[in-house]
Amino acid sequence: MYFRFPEKIPPNNHKIYVLQIKYADVNGDGLKETLILTGKKPYGENSFIEDITLTVENKITNVNLKVVPKENSGYNPNMFIARFSEDKTPQVLLSINSGGSGGYYYNYVYSFKNDMPLTFFDYDIFNNESIFNAIYENNYKVRVTSENKALKGIIDLTAIRDKEYLSAIYEPNGTLKEPIKGDVLSLGLLSPFSITGSEIFDLIASQRIIGLFNGDTLGNVETILRLDKDKFIPLVTRLTVLM
């Protein structure tokens, strides 16, 4: 991925900025802690941020917990605090936009229960476990499958692409002029949602399906995740097509 930065670096490139502050009882002691998201802006007011750090302050016990994400630089870091299970103690979803053309996000879910920082979700682990293939086939189809066999789907190109697109890669009888392989990208958005409107949330992980080039978005693979003890497990994996 590539970023464009100003040639001159302002003198405040080491200053730590407070990016976000929230209050919630994330350790389960019945008192609200202060959650502070901080980072440095090495290129001034350019939105690129590095050294992103999440600090949980407990002013009653003076116990402060600090988490530095594995990937701790990017754009628009955001905290979402919610319960992802029946446990009364909420977790923290931290999302950081990578800023690249692929639309990738660095997503983490942290637990601070009993003042023990744990990682319940790591985007990198998810990507290693959620690998898909997108292969163009005869008769204007793209077959999308997962290596763990959780998904088998077909995209009908005639429903989403014009004749010019199709004629460039298919013969008039619908056979491919040459083998073509698309791609299913790594994790993009990780969105919390509640089906019943309750206080307990699940997650939707979205991976973009591309065809001939990065801008040729055919659809998305969406995986619904639910927290089970200390790990999010997939409930449903589905194919969605952009019309």
Side-chain angles (χ1 to χ4, degrees), residues 9-49:
I9 301 176
N12 65 343
N13 59 317
H14 295 298
K15 182 178 179 180
I16 297 177
Y17 289 81
V18 175
L19 308 173
Q20 200 172 32
I21 297 178
K22 292 192 175 184
Y23 305 92
D25 176 19
V26 293
N27 68 355
D29 66 356
L31 304 172
K32 287 187 177 182
E33 287 74 52
T34 303
L35 290 86
I36 307 172
L37 198 61
T38 58
K40 297 177 182 178
K41 299 180 180 180
Y43 306 100
E45 292 308 311
N46 182 287
S47 58
F48 178 77
I49 300 170

Side-chain angles (χ1 to χ4, degrees), residues 110-145:
Y110 297 113
S111 168
F112 297 96
K113 188 175 181 180
N114 299 324
D115 293 323
M116 294 281 293
L118 296 173
T119 303
F120 282 1
F121 182 91
D122 182 317
Y123 81 99
D124 209 14
I125 295 175
F126 174 85
N127 285 335
N128 290 334
E129 296 175 346
S130 303
I131 300 175
F132 300 85
N133 299 302
I135 306 296
Y136 281 71
E137 295 185 346
N138 293 332
N139 301 314
Y140 313 107
K141 310 291 184 183
V142 175
R143 183 177 299 275
V144 181
T145 58

Side-chain angles (χ1 to χ4, degrees), residues 78-80 84 91-95 107-109 190 192 203:
N78 182 68
M79 290 187 291
F80 179 82
F84 290 98
Q91 291 80 37
V92 181
L93 166 61
L94 175 61
S95 298
N107 297 291
Y108 305 91
V109 176
L190 185 67
L203 293 171

Side-chain angles (χ1 to χ4, degrees):
M1 63 190 69
Y2 300 90
F3 307 102
R4 184 186 298 273
F5 301 127
E7 294 181 359
K8 295 183 179 180
I9 301 176
N12 65 343
N13 59 317
H14 295 298
K15 182 178 179 180
I16 297 177
Y17 289 81
V18 175
L19 308 173
Q20 200 172 32
I21 297 178
K22 292 192 175 184
Y23 305 92
D25 176 19
V26 293
N27 68 355
D29 66 356
L31 304 172
K32 287 187 177 182
E33 287 74 52
T34 303
L35 290 86
I36 307 172
L37 198 61
T38 58
K40 297 177 182 178
K41 299 180 180 180
Y43 306 100
E45 292 308 311
N46 182 287
S47 58
F48 178 77
I49 300 170
E50 66 180 13
D51 292 341
I52 297 169
T53 303
L54 171 58
T55 302
V56 180
E57 293 184 350
N58 189 322
K59 295 183 178 180
I60 303 298
T61 63
N62 291 321
V63 175
N64 295 335
L65 306 174
K66 184 174 292 187
V67 171
V68 179
K70 179 173 55 181
E71 292 290 344
N72 67 338
S73 61
Y75 296 80
N76 303 316
N78 182 68
M79 290 187 291
F80 179 82
I81 303 172
R83 291 170 55 203
F84 290 98
S85 70
E86 296 288 346
D87 194 309
K88 298 297 183 181
T89 305
Q91 291 80 37
V92 181
L93 166 61
L94 175 61
S95 298
I96 304 169
N97 189 334
S98 73
S101 60
Y104 302 123
Y105 280 76
Y106 308 133
N107 297 291
Y108 305 91
V109 176
Y110 297 113
S111 168
F112 297 96
K113 188 175 181 180
N114 299 324
D115 293 323
M116 294 281 293
L118 296 173
T119 303
F120 282 1
F121 182 91
D122 182 317
Y123 81 99
D124 209 14
I125 295 175
F126 174 85
N127 285 335
N128 290 334
E129 296 175 346
S130 303
I131 300 175
F132 300 85
N133 299 302
I135 306 296
Y136 281 71
E137 295 185 346
N138 293 332
N139 301 314
Y140 313 107
K141 310 291 184 183
V142 175
R143 183 177 299 275
V144 181
T145 58
S146 58
E147 292 195 354
N148 62 8
K149 301 181 180 180
L151 175 69
K152 294 181 180 180
I154 294 290
I155 298 175
D156 182 359
L157 291 173
T158 62
I160 61 173
R161 291 295 183 265
D162 57 24
K163 291 183 178 179
E164 182 179 1
Y165 180 99
L166 298 176
S167 62
I169 57 179
Y170 285 97
E171 301 288 358
N173 63 357
T175 59
L176 281 167
K177 294 181 178 179
E178 61 182 13
I180 299 177
K181 183 178 180 180
D183 198 7
V184 179
L185 303 183
S186 299
L187 177 62
L189 289 174
L190 185 67
S191 306
F193 77 104
S194 174
I195 297 177
T196 62
S198 69
E199 296 180 353
I200 300 175
F201 286 78
D202 294 322
L203 293 171
I204 296 182
S206 181
Q207 296 172 257
R208 193 159 59 92
I209 306 168
I210 62 172
L212 304 181
F213 48 89
N214 184 52
D216 184 23
T217 302
L218 304 178
N220 293 281
V221 173
E222 294 183 341
T223 304
I224 298 177
L225 302 165
R226 178 164 294 172
L227 182 59
D228 182 15
K229 296 180 181 178
D230 59 355
K231 181 180 180 180
F232 282 86
I233 60 173
L235 295 181
V236 177
T237 303
R238 64 192 183 188
L239 172 66
T240 61
V241 179
L242 301 180
M243 304 301 288

